[in-house]
Structures are given as structure tokens and as C-alpha cells.
């Protein structure tokens, strides 16, 4: 009977010690900067200088007139399968 009481006391002590949970530490969130109201608008900037114009290209020679032939290019019937 003495051994039964001793064993049950030891088991109860171990069971209660196993239930001990570590304390959780909550870290506070970092503060978020909130922008304040907008300030007054500044003065409008001045107009920039106009850039230089490029040189005009040379005119090409006029081609000869066609002989009334019409060429029709048909798209492919379907796209190739991958």
C-alpha cells in the first residue's frame, strides 16, 4: 500500500510538471508612418527651349507603273500544333 501511494504521487507530480507551458512573449508591431496633409503647391516651372529640327531627307526616284497584275497572299489554313 505504501508503494502504491508513493508511485501515484510521483506520477501525479510528473503529470503536472509536463503541463507547464512556457510563457509566450508578444512582440509589439512596428509603428507605421502615416503621411500628414499635403502642403501648398509650388510655382509652375518655365517652358523649356524648343529643340532643333532635323534635316529633310532627299526625295526618291519615281517608280514605273505596274502592268495591272494583282497578287493575293493567303494566310496559312491553321497554325501548326506544338
Amino acid at each position: 500500500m505504501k508503494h502504491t501511494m508513493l508511485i501515484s504521487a510521483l506520477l501525479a507530480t510528473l503529470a503536472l510538471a509536463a503541463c507547464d507551458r512556457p510563457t509566450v512573449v508578444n512582440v509589439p508591431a512596428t509603428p507605421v508612418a502615416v503621411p500628414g496633409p499635403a502642403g501648398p503647391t509650388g510655382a509652375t516651372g518655365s517652358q523649356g527651349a524648343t529643340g532643333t529640327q532635323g534635316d529633310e531627307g532627299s526625295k526618291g526616284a519615281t517608280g514605273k507603273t505596274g502592268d495591272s497584275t494583282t497578287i493575293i497572299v493567303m494566310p496559312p489554313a491553321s497554325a501548326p500544333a506544338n
Side-chain angles (χ1 to χ4, degrees):
M1 180 89 168
K2 289 182 180 180
H3 294 293
T4 308
M5 285 288 254
L6 181 62
I7 291 173
S8 60
L10 286 173
L11 285 177
T13 305
L14 290 175
L16 290 175
C19 292
D20 184 29
R21 293 185 178 172
T23 306
V24 176
V25 178
N26 290 332
V27 179
T30 56
V32 177
V34 178
T41 45
T44 305
S46 62
Q47 182 74 22
T50 304
T52 58
Q53 295 292 328
D55 295 334
E56 190 169 326
S58 60
K59 299 290 183 192
T62 305
K64 63 178 184 169
T65 58
D67 57 357
S68 299
T69 303
T70 305
I71 298 174
I72 300 174
V73 178
M74 297 293 292
S78 64
N82 287 338

